[in-house]
Amino acid sequence: IFPCMNFLLDGLVERNFKNRKVGFIENGSWAPMAAKVMKEKLANQKGIEFIEKQVKIVSSISKENLIEIDELADELLK
């Protein structure tokens, strides 16, 4: 995970981030394990619901990715 993402996640944990739905979009080219690491960092927070479907973008956003992102947004809004 990039240092700035680490900083963000550590800040959320420090401030007791809780009771939220969380979805992940990861770059499959250079950070294929990012979603797993981010989930681990947030796993012990109270009331965190992870959206099952993750979006993995490889190289550039495809038409399929755009559909997946819309589906992820719909899940987050439920």
Side-chain angles (χ1 to χ4, degrees):
I1 295 182
F2 275 116
C4 57
M5 184 57 69
N6 240 353
F7 182 75
L8 171 68
L9 293 171
D10 289 344
L12 290 174
V13 171
E14 279 179 12
R15 288 162 183 80
N16 201 23
F17 185 68
K18 62 183 176 183
N19 302 322
R20 300 282 191 257
K21 286 185 180 181
V22 178
F24 296 100
I25 299 174
E26 66 182 355
N27 184 318
S29 299
W30 51 263
M33 297 300 292
K36 180 182 177 203
V37 174
M38 290 186 284
K39 276 184 181 179
E40 289 171 358
K41 283 189 168 274
L42 296 175
N44 293 325
Q45 300 304 108
K46 289 182 181 178
I48 296 296
E49 178 186 341
F50 295 117
I51 304 298
E52 190 172 327
K53 183 166 182 64
Q54 293 175 192
V55 178
K56 182 180 283 194
I57 299 170
V58 180
S59 296
S60 62
I61 296 177
S62 67
K63 289 180 184 178
E64 182 180 314
N65 289 143
L66 292 174
I67 293 168
E68 292 173 331
I69 291 168
D70 282 340
E71 291 171 352
L72 181 62
D74 290 341
E75 283 295 315
L76 288 168
L77 292 172
K78 284 184 184 178

